[in-house]
Structure formats: structure tokens, C-alpha cells
């Protein structure tokens, strides 16, 4: 996998596709089969040629190279981690799924034998995982598709035979729930255990065949079918069923019920939370020793390779500009940027790649002086409080989190007493704000935060610079509320502003590699947009050292800059190199101080609409912090009373306000205490 | 300060630098206080590149300190013990000194750096024997031994001239001399710091005598204690004058004072900006000394890396062959592996050159993969690290 996204040459070849014909798969293939609307290459060649098949057949065909792309049960991925998965599209559920159910005349806990009714590998695996976790081990007996329900219905209840159940999936499962006393909907069971969505199938391809154009076409095909044709698909399905004369025909549901199934029950996305559920599922199967993924370190979560998506337009334009005739000139760009003029993406990339460190620094220093003519450098006294370290997200670069399943007692949620102590100490040290961040703890819902914030505001004078976008998204997902609603309620409870954490590099390809279950780029930006819209300010961050390219870095800045044009809500930008010690991410990249200064200077020049640049002394040390004040920064950050996420990964700098002031003076500036909004505070 | 006037003055100084003219004391002070740190740095960098291009030197040596007993009591010294029988005082036998080298016979070391305290009663033969025995073990190895303070002490103690002492030591195997003991020359500061040890004139006279015998030497300046900026500039100028006379100095090494375990603990140590400024000003003031060296152990590897853009062309610190340290660590390690050192030089866009004591080039970084990693400074950033993408993820 390479991160260099070369402009895609539309390949005129047609991908051979196999897909399931189940009702729930139809929204994904309906448009692909539509002769008029099937996606085509620029020259008119169809992009896909679809053949319908059973789920297990699809996976085998893909493995055997009989097709290039297939809608496969996710369980098959365990044998083929090399497959590339189409991002954003899947077949799953959040809670009840209706079409993957175990039915019985006995409570499932008592069942001695389960008939597997021609089921797919994913659903059998899911059943095994759930049985394993419930401590149950009934005999599992495969039977032909369609006979399972009958075997259970006809079983004698007089105690002469075993207590039996059947796992029924797909269209045959419709209505089963109503015909038996005891039913496990595996979607519901999964959700109860994990709080996560379940994904049953996705589009997977042989490595290297998917282009961004294919990815976009598949995403659009799903949107189109679902947007306009759910009812038509439902009706068509029902008509077919009735005409077929199959035994199930007699039990056909209403058109409306099928449409609701497509629109509400089944979730066709494959976004952050679904990805999380997906990997959780494969991980639990692995833990239960039901599958083995070759070459994967036991502590690492399953890694799913997602195919790249199309480059954003602004980047395509920048590439065009860079390959055009008129050469760019470093000195000219620097002079314009130093004077506060806007430089475009192509120029930013060019600067980053070609300008000398010292020239960049001088330009950034000039720009800093223009924005902040007084020779003043600000800092804040606040305390970083990590209220919980339980986190479901398992980012590879993070050495702070403890999975909720941890059995060694390493996880914590701070009690009110512990928080109160920290808050009181902060006030006593002259602190005016709490930077409150934590892991994504599935146990903590919106009311936990509302209560915590209200309590803080009732008992302390501290400002709450709380919850990065990652946490906001997590809360929105577990509460099934919109991000905006979550923010509104948190704001009402006392939240003042948001830290800009969880951005790392705002590029989904990099994110998929380092933090596959963390929010996507768009989601992060969306939270910031919503928060700014509600009048809350936030900071913005960037962590580099994940083998990103100049394009990635500048695109990150570009995304921040254009959102800032829209909202004006960012107060400051902070960047630092990734601290690898003790994390699971064994990357080799340039994380030197030299590169840090370079990145920061470019950021000062590119982010012409963000007022403040903060040095990151906790990761680089106060000396580089001091030097960085000459490379575009005007803020020394915070007297970090504690900083768990970084310090567990190897940086251990602690300073008092006095030391910070001394470093600021040594760099030739006057220190000034500030608030989160960069208002000045008189030192007492 | 008047900004336009200052800018004009800076431009005049830059012209002098480009013409390789000597700057005067006022120029030096101006550079020390000119608000635009990066302009001073960039000028020093220009000079550095004119002299050495992107080359960044290092050498592989090790240190022997045969005794830490010292009659002097320098305020900044955490090494010396006043009396031979004080706790933690030691004096090695000649065999123990030899053992230090025997332990490293298989290592590609090209130099041994030897300095001592000023011992109350060791004979000159002890110092000569050290050299002779080490040479006998490894004739190819370069012996950089004894500071001017020691030479001055020997001369006084044994009633000999500097030239006599140095000739005898040279005959025993001395190849060159380290630059230690210069501290800060100005009498006022020197009295406060290290009363009783060789004064400025004596220190300079020893080096003059060494240069006349064909012994190349280094020179140092200890800064960040009680000295003023004027006194730093004065120090540099005295070195420059001797260099104009003899041409015997190879390298100037500014030493940032560290309040570790000595009687000056209350002073705040020189920090990032002061360190960089001092390197840059040294590079500009000492136009006739070829190299400016940074000790990364003292200033930290991060600042040391940045110093390569502020006039420094030589990095010193213990270099080991094996891997012992990860770049992402925050604290300054005691030693760097060769791979990590070369990488940090590459990351700064420079070319690492392993040298011997006299700056003969032994190995030049050709950009080959290190540890399977390729960071090629001549390539644009966007392509860096691509060679490793496949196998790390
Ligand atoms: S970085 Fe944040 S989201 Fe990721 S694992 Fe760590 S605590 Fe969880
Ligand atoms: S002369 Fe050297 S060894 Fe002796 S006290 Fe001074 S610095 Fe230390």
C-alpha cells in the first residue's frame, strides 16, 4: 500500500463482480444492474459486470480469482487479509437485524443442538462468538438451506429428543421471530454485548484492481438505489417471491415491511463505528480461537485495508498547477506569505518541499510579528485531566488507553472526589481551565458528561476546555443523537470550548492505517463546524510522523484553513511529532526537531486566518519550545499540570509558570498569561 | 533600538562576512543582541556552507580520565576531587589505563581523548607512560591528550618550559591537544570561576607553544556562568588573534554550562536560543578557525540538530556502533548509535562525514539505507520514507 495517490488513469477494463441476491444486498447492486445507470468509464466501457451468487460462493470466487470484486461475508476476510475493502459501503445493523436469528421452542440457554440452516460463514461465526461469550456450547449441525425452521417446529417437546434450535439467515428468516417463543436476533445480541454495530458483508476486491473511481461509483450506486428505489426494490422482491411459489411465499410480508427493513433495519454504511464493530467482531472471534489471521500480532487489532478514495478537488488542482509550466519561486512565495498574503495549496506544498529551514523560519517570524506586533508570548495555566482511560478505539499510536475488556484492573474512571481534588489543586495553582479529555468509554453516556459539567460549574470557577471531536462523535453514536444536539446539550451543561485533539493527520488513508476506528476526516471537521456554529471556540492540532507526504500535511492545513474561513472558530494551531515510545506503531519516519520547526513555520505561513500558533514543549522540550518561538509561534501553551497521553509515550517535561516565563524571556519576549480565548490574565 | 538603522548595520556586517573580513567586538555584540535570531543564524549558516557545504563531521573516540584528583577547585567542576583519598577520588595505574583500550581493541575507534585533574604528586613520567603504552597497543590510534591547564601545571611543578613539557609528551606519543580549560578568559569572570588555574595568557601561551611544535589543538569557551556578553566576545577575539599568528586551532567548541553537581547550581543553564545564538556568533567571529563543534550531550540532540543550521559543522558525543537509542525519546541519551547520528544529520538535510582527529575524511554518508531506512535529504520531503512503507505496515 502506498500513500502516494497518483492521479487515477481510468482503466477501461470491466471488473468482474459477484454479489448476493438477498434482499438486503439489492440496494448495493440495483444500480449496477440497471442498463441505463450502471457506472461507466469515460470511454463508455461499463465499470462492472455483475453475476449473482450465494454469499459463500462470492468469497470463494474472489479467492480463486474468478472475479475481481465481490460482496463477501466479513468472516471470509479472516482468510484473506490482503483483500482491499471499499470504504463507506457495507451491509450491517445496529441492534436488531431481523434476518439473522436463532429460533427455538426452548430458551436458547437450554438448547442442546443448533441446526445451521445453510448459513453464511459470518453468521455462524457470530453465533459461535456469542455462544462462547455466554458460556454455551450446544452441538452445531449444518443442514440444508430451508429445512432448519421445520426441524425445530417439528421437534418433540415431551423430553424424548434434544432441545433444538435453528440459525436461520437471509430472506428465509423474515417473520421467524413471530413464530417461535424463543428467539435470539444476533444483531440485538451483538449490540447488547458490545454497544457496537455489526457488519455482515462488504465489497472486497483483489488487491490493486480498485481505483478511486470504482470506489466512488460503488458509493454512489448505493446512495442512488437507497435514495430513490428502496420501495421499488421491496415491491420487486415481494412480487418475485409470490410468483416463485416457494414455501416462503405464503409468509411474505408487506411491501412496506420490506422497505422499512431496507431503510431502517439494515445500515449500508461502513464508517468509523461500523469499522469498529467489524474489527471487534473479528477480534472476538480471534480471541475465542475461532479464526486465525496469519501474520497478525496477537495484540494488534485486525487491520482492514481500505481502498483509496478520490483525491479532493483542491488537491487535484494543486497537482495540476505544480506540473504546469510556470515554475514556482520559493523567495517570492515566502515574501508574499510573510506579508500575510494567502498562498495556495500548490505553493504551500512547494514551500514545504523546497524552502530552506532558516528562510521558512524568518518568513514565519515576520508573519508572527505582523500578527502580534507586541513582543509578547502568551501561556495559560490549566490542567489536563484524563477522566477515563477506557477506550474502545485502540489507535495504534496510543499508549494511554485500556480496552474495556481489560481484566488486569488497569482501567479507571475518575470519581468526583478525585476530580474535585484535581480541580481544587488547579485553582490553587492559579489555573483557570481544565482540559478534559479521555478515552472512548462505552459506559459513559451523555448524562454522565452533562452531570459532570454541571457539577464542575456549580463547584468551581474553572473553564471547561473539554472533549475532543473524537469523544463528541463517540457520544453522538452511542446516544444515536446528532453531533449538534450533543454539543448543544454539553454547552448548556457548561462546556466552554473544545480541544483540537484527535486530528492527527486529516487524511483518511493515513487514519485507516494508524487509527482505523477513530473518526474520519470529515467527521472531525463536522464536529468543529458544528461547535463553532454554536459559538464555541476550539483549537486545532496536527501530529506528524506517520509517513505522511507533503501533500498530506498541506491538505491538513488546507482543511483547517477553509473551515476557518467559514467559521472563524479556531483560536490556535499546535503541531508536534508523533512520540512512538511504548506504542504499537513501529513506524520509521522523521520526527526530529528539525522537521518540527519546518512544519510549524509552514503552518504559520499557510494558516493565514488562524491567529495563534502554540509551541509543543511537552513533546519537544522547553529548549526547542523556546527556539520554536522564532519559527512562527506566539504562545507557549500551558503549564501542563499533567499530560497522560503524551507522557505514557515517552515525553516527560514538566515546568512551572516561572520556568515557562524564563524560557519566553530567553527567547526575547515578554510572558503574558492568557485564557483559552487568548484574552490576557493578570498573574496574581 | 532603531529598526532601520539596525537592519542597515546588519547588512554591513553581512558584507564583511561575505568578504571574509574579521568582525570587531562591536559587531560581535551587535550580533548577540540583534533581535532577528534567524537572520544571524542564516548568516552563520551561509558561512558554514561556504566552508564545508553540507558536510557534518563526527569522529569515533573514547575518553580516559586517568585521575580525577585535582589541586584546583573550579566552581563549575563536578569531576575533580580535591584530595587523593577523598571519597570517589581515583588514580588509575598504567595497567588500568591500558585496560581501557584493551577493552575496545576490536572497536573502530580512531582517537583517545585524555584529560586529568591536576594531581598533587604524580610524576611527569606517569603522563608520558600513559601515552607510550597506549601507542604501543594501537600505533594507529590518535592521542589527543592533556589540556593547556595541565601542561601549565606540569611546567610549573617540574620547573620546565611549556615547550620542554610538550616536546617530551610529543616524543612519548602525544598527537594533538584538546581545547579544555579555556573557560572564559576575562580576568573578572575567571577569578570567580577558577581562581588559581592557568590564566588566559598562560592558556594561550601553552597553545602557542604547541602550535609551534606542530601540535594541532582545539579551543573552547565555557558560557552561561557569570560572564557578560562582552566577555564572551573578548574570549573569541583572543582566540582569533592567536589563530592569526599560528593557524594551529582546528575547532572551536562552545560549552554550555550545566549546573549538575557543582557549586554554581543556582544559575539557570543556557537554553535553546542562547545556545544557537552562541554557535552562530562564534561561526561569524572566528572566521579563521575552520570548525565549530556542538556537544550534543550538553545541549541535547534536538538543539544539536538545529545547530547545524546555525554555523555548527561538527557534532561530538559518544558514538556507539550498536543500536541503543530511539529517536523519539525525550531525554538526552548518553550515547548515540552511528545509525541514529547519521539519521539525525540526514534529517537536517546534511551529509554525515566520519573524520579522524585531523579532519581526514574516513567515511561519507552516501545515502544508503540505514537499518533498512532511507532518508534522503536531497529528495523532496514527500518521497521520504516511501521505501519503507511496505514493510512497516
Ligand atoms: S488516541 Fe484516543 S481514541 Fe485513540 S485509543 Fe487513545 S484514547 Fe482512544
Ligand atoms: S582544573 Fe580541571 S579538573 Fe581541576 S577542578 Fe578545574 S576543571 Fe576540574
Amino acid at each position: 500500500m502506498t500513500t502516494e495517490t497518483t492521479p487515477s488513469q481510468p482503466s477501461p477494463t470491466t471488473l468482474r463482480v459477484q454479489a448476493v441476491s438477498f434482499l438486503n444486498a439489492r440496494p448495493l447492486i440495483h444500480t449496477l444492474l440497471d442498463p441505463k445507470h450502471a457506472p461507466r468509464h469515460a470511454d463508455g466501457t461499463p465499470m462492472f459486470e455483475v453475476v449473482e451468487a450465494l454469499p459463500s460462493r462470492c468469497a470463494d470466487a474472489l479467492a480463486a480469482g474468478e472475479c475481481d470484486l465481490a460482496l463477501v461475508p466479513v468472516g471470509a476476510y479472516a482468510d484473506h487479509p490482503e483483500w482491499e475493502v471499499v470504504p463507506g459501503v457495507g451491509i450491517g445493523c445496529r441492534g436488531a437485524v431481523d434476518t439473522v436469528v436463532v429460533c427455538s421452542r426452548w430458551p436458547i440457554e437450554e438448547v442442546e443442538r443448533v441446526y445451521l440452516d445453510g448459513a453464511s460463514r459470518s453468521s455462524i461465526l457470530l453465533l459461535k462468538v456469542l455462544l462462547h461469550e455466554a458460556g454455551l456450547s450446544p452441538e452445531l449441525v449444518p443442514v440444508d438451506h430451508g429445512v432448519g425452521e421445520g426441524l425445530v417446529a417439528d421437534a418433540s417437546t415431551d423430553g424424548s429428543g434434544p432441545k433444538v434450535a435453528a440459525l436461520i439467515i437471509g430472506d428465509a428468516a423474515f417473520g421467524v421471530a413471530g413464530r417461535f417463543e424463543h428467539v435470539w436476533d444476533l444483531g440485538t445480541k451483538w449490540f447488547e454485548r458490545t454497544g457496537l454495530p455489526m457488519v455482515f458483508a462488504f465489497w472486497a476486491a483483489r488487491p490493486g484492481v480498485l481505483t478511486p473511481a470504482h470506489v466512488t461509483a460503488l458509493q454512489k450506486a448505493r446512495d442512488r438505489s437507497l435514495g430513490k428505489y428502496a420501495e421499488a426494490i421491496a415491491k420487486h422482491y415481494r412480487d418475485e417471491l409470490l410468483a416463485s411459489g416457494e414455501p416462503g411465499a405464503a409468509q411474505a410480508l408487506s411491501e412496506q415491511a420490506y422497505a422499512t427493513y431496507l431503510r431502517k433495519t439494515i445500515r449500508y454504511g461502513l464508517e468509523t463505528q461500523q469499522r469498529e464493530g467489524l474489527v471487534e467482531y473479528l477480534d472476538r472471534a480471534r480471541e475465542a480461537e475461532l479464526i486465525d489471521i496469519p501474520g497478525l500480532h496477537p495484540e494488534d487489532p485486525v487491520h482492514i485495508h481500505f481502498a483509496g478514495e478520490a483525491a479532493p478537488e483542491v488537491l487535484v488542482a494543486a497537482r495540476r498547477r505544480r506540473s504546469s509550466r510556470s515554475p514556482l519561486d520559493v523567495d517570492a512565495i515566502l515574501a508574499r506569505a510573510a506579508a500575510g498574503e494567502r498562498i495556495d495549496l500548490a505553493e504551500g506544498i512547494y514551500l514545504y518541499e523546497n524552502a530552506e529551514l532558516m528562510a521558512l523560519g524568518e518568513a514565519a517570524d515576520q508573519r508572527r510579528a505582523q500578527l502580534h506586533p507586541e513582543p509578547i508570548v502568551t501561556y495559560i495555566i490549566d490542567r489536563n485531566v484524563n477522566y477515563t482511560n477506557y477506550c474502545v478505539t485502540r489507535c495504534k499510536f496510543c499508549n494511554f488507553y485500556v480496552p474495556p475488556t481489560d481484566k488486569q484492573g488497569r482501567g479507571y474512571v475518575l470519581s468526583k472526589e478525585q476530580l474535585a481534588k484535581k480541580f481544587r489543586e488547579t485553582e490553587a495553582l492559579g489555573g483557570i481551565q481544565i482540559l478534559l479529555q479521555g478515552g472512548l468509554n462505552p459506559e459513559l453516556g451523555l448524562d454522565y458528561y452533562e452531570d459532570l459539567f454541571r457539577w464542575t460549574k456549580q463547584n468551581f470557577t474553572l473553564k471547561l476546555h473539554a472533549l475532543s471531536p473524537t469523544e463528541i462523535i463517540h457520544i453522538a453514536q452511542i446516544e444515536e443523537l446528532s453531533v449538534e444536539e450533543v454539543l448543544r446539550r454539553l454547552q448548556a451543561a457548561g462546556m466552554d470550548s473544545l480541544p483540537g485533539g484527535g486530528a492527527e493527520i486529516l487524511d483518511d488513508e493515513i487514519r485507516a492505517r494508524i487509527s482505523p476506528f477513530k473518526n474520519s476526516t470529515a467527521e472531525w471537521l463536522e464536529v468543529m463546524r458544528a461547535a463553532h456554529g454554536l459559538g464555541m471556540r476550539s483549537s486545532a492540532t496536527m501530529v506528524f510522523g506517520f509517513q505522511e507526504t507533503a501533500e498530506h500535511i498541506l491538505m491538513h492545513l488546507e482543511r483547517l484553513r477553509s473551515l476557518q474561513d467559514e467559521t472563524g472558530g479556531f483560536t490556535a494551531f499546535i503541531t508536534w511529532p508523533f512520540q512512538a515510545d511504548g506504542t504499537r506503531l513501529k513506524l520509521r519516519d522523521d520526527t526530529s526537531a528539525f522537521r518540527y520547526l519546518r512544519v510549524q513555520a509552514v503552518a504559520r505561513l499557510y494558516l493565514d486566518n488562524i491567529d495563534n500558533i502554540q509551541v509543543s514543549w511537552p513533546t519537544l522540550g522547553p529548549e526547542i519550545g523556546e527556539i520554536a518561538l522564532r519559527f512562527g509561534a506566539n504562545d507557549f501553551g500551558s503549564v501542563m499540570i499533567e499530560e497522560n497521553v503524551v507522557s505514557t509515550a515517552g515525553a516527560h517535561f514538566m515546568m512551572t509558570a516561572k520556568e515557562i516565563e524564563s524560557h519566553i524571556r530567553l527567547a526575547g519576549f515578554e510572558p503574558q498569561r492568557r485564557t483559552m480565548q487568548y484574552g490576557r490574565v493578570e498573574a496574581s | 533600538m532603531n529598526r532601520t538603522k539596525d537592519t542597515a548595520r546588519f547588512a554591513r556586517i553581512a558584507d564583511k562576512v561575505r568578504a571574509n573580513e574579521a568582525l570587531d567586538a562591536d559587531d560581535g555584540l551587535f550580533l548577540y543582541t540583534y533581535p532577528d535570531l534567524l537572520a544571524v543564524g542564516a548568516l552563520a549558516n551561509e558561512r558554514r556552507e561556504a566552508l564545508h557545504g553540507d558536510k557534518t563531521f563526527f569522529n569515533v573516540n573514547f575518553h580516559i580520565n586517568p585521575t580525577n584528583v585535582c589541586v584546583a577547585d573550579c566552581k563549575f567542576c563536578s569531576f575533580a576531587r580535591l584530595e587523593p583519598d577523598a571519597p570517589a577520588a581515583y588514580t588509575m595505574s598504567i595497567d588500568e589505563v591500558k585496560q581501557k583500550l584493551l577493552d575496545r581493541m576490536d572497536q573502530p575507534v580512531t582517537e583517545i581523548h585524555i584529560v586529568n585533574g591536576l594531581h598533587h604528586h604524580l610524576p611527569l613520567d606517569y603522563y608520558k607512560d600513559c601515552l607510550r603504552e597506549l601507542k604501543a597497543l594501537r600505533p594507529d590510534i590518535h592521542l589527543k591528550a592533556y589540556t593547556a591547564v595541565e601542561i601549565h601545571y606540569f611546567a610549573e611543578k617540574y620547573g620546565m618550559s611549556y615547550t620542554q613539557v610538550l616536546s617530551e609528551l610529543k616524543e612519548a606519543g602525544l598527537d594533538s591537544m584538546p581545547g579544555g580549560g579555556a573557560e572564559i578568559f576575562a580576568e573578572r569572570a575567571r577569578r570567580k570561576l577558577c581562581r588559581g588555574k592557568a590564566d588566559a595568557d598562560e592558556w594561550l601561551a601553552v597553545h602557542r607553544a604547541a602550535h609551534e611544535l606542530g601540535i594541532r589543538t582545539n579551543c573552547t569557551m565555557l558560557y552561561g556562568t557569570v560572564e557578560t556578553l562582552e566577555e564572551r566576545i573578548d574570549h573569541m577575539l583572543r582566540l582569533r588573534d592567536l589563530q592569526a599568528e599560528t593557524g594551529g586551532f582546528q575547532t572551536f567548541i562552545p560549552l554550555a554550562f550545566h549546573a549538575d553537581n557543582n557549586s554554581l547550581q543556582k544559575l539557570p543553564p543556557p537554553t535553546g536560543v542562547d545556545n544557537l545564538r552562541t554557535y552562530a556568533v562564534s561561526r561569524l567571529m572566528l572566521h579563521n578557525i575552520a570548525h565549530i563543534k556542538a556537544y550534543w550531550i550538553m545541549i541535547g540532540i534536538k538543539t544539536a540538530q538545529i545547530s547545524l543550521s546555525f554555523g555548527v559543522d561538527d557534532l561530538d558525543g559518544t558514538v556507539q556502533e550498536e543500536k541503543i537509542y530511539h529517536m523519539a525519546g525525550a531525554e538526552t541519551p548518553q550515547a548515540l548509535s552511528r545509525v541514529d547520528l547519521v539519521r539525525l544529520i540526514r534529517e537536517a538535510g546534511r551529509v554525515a562525514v566520519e573524520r579522524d582527529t585531523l579532519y581526514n575524511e574516513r567515511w561519507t554518508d552516501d545515502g544508503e539505507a540505514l537499518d533498512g531506512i532511507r532518508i534522503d535529504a536531497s529528495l523532496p520531503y514527500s518521497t521520504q520514507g516511501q521505501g519503507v512503507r511496505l514493510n512497516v505496515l
Side-chain angles (χ1 to χ4, degrees), chain B residues 30-103:
Chain B
F30 177 82
L31 292 173
Y32 244 122
T33 49
Y34 188 57
D36 190 348
L37 170 74
L38 296 202
V40 179
L43 190 59
N45 188 47
E46 198 180 315
R47 183 78 192 124
R48 176 239 203 262
E49 287 181 1
L51 286 166
H52 310 293
D54 281 335
K55 285 181 188 170
T56 297
F57 298 97
F58 70 99
N59 80 335
V60 182
N61 68 2
F62 74 98
H63 290 234
I64 304 180
N65 306 118
T67 180
N68 68 347
V69 175
C70 186
V71 298
D73 183 18
C74 304
K75 288 255 184 318
F76 50 82
C77 182
S78 45
F79 161 71
R81 295 293 174 273
L82 271 176
E83 294 299 333
D85 50 4
Y90 69 83
T91 301
M92 296 179 190
S93 67
I94 298 293
D95 279 345
E96 285 171 323
V97 171
K98 278 166 68 183
Q99 193 56 43
K100 294 274 170 198
L101 177 55
L102 286 169
D103 291 344

Side-chain angles (χ1 to χ4, degrees), chain B residues 4-17:
Chain B
T4 346
K5 231 173 83 194
D6 278 355
T7 317
R9 170 114 195 251
F10 184 81
R12 279 201 305 282
I13 293 177
D15 288 342
K16 276 201 201 173
V17 169

